[in-house]
Amino acid sequence: MSGETATPLRYAVVYKVTWPNGKIYVGSDLTDSITYFGSPDRKLLESDFPAREERRKITVTREILWESSTATRSEVLSMERKLIIQLRANDPALGYNRRPKSAATAATY
């Protein structure tokens, strides 16, 4: 087996991004790309960080909450949905997810 290299496992992940204001975004990535930080609503982020100075240097944290090397796309999306609800990332006061709709999200939008 000399010269063979093992194929690295590809993980599907569900992660949480925490912004400087403490609000969170929960997302999933089927490729486990280190550069992917999700797709929160740009207008919501801009409204929370309106000052130019606030945008000059922003530190966010991306934390993997769940990972699997065998999960199907459906299982990953199901776990993402479960964690969005559990962490209340779809509550506008706490997070940037807008789906699934929460009572707070439905009242706001």
Side-chain angles (χ1 to χ4, degrees):
M1 300 226 163
S2 179
E4 274 188 41
T5 57
T7 303
L9 285 177
R10 194 56 95 159
Y11 285 92
V13 299
V14 177
Y15 57 84
K16 174 179 74 173
V17 174
T18 304
W19 290 84
N21 59 3
K23 287 188 179 182
I24 62 172
Y25 176 82
V26 174
S28 63
D29 183 3
L30 300 175
T31 65
D32 191 23
S33 170
I34 196 167
T35 61
Y36 188 65
F37 279 69
S39 303
D41 187 303
R42 184 185 71 166
K43 290 182 182 185
L44 295 173
L45 280 167
E46 288 173 351
S47 69
D48 279 350
F49 299 96
R52 186 79 213 130
E53 196 55 38
E54 290 178 297
R55 297 180 185 195
R56 291 192 187 280
K57 185 174 182 181
I58 293 179
T59 302
V60 298
T61 303
R62 180 178 179 259
E63 174 186 0
I64 294 176
L65 302 174
W66 178 87
E67 65 183 26
S68 174
S69 62
T70 61
T72 64
R73 181 177 190 275
S74 178
E75 290 169 330
V76 174
L77 295 176
S78 177
M79 180 57 72
E80 177 186 17
R81 179 181 170 84
K82 175 183 171 185
L83 289 170
I84 289 169
I85 294 167
Q86 180 181 332
L87 297 172
R88 296 179 50 205
N90 56 345
D91 178 340
L94 303 175
Y96 292 112
N97 291 86
R98 292 300 164 254
R99 288 182 178 28
K101 292 215 181 275
S102 70
T105 305
T108 306
Y109 295 95

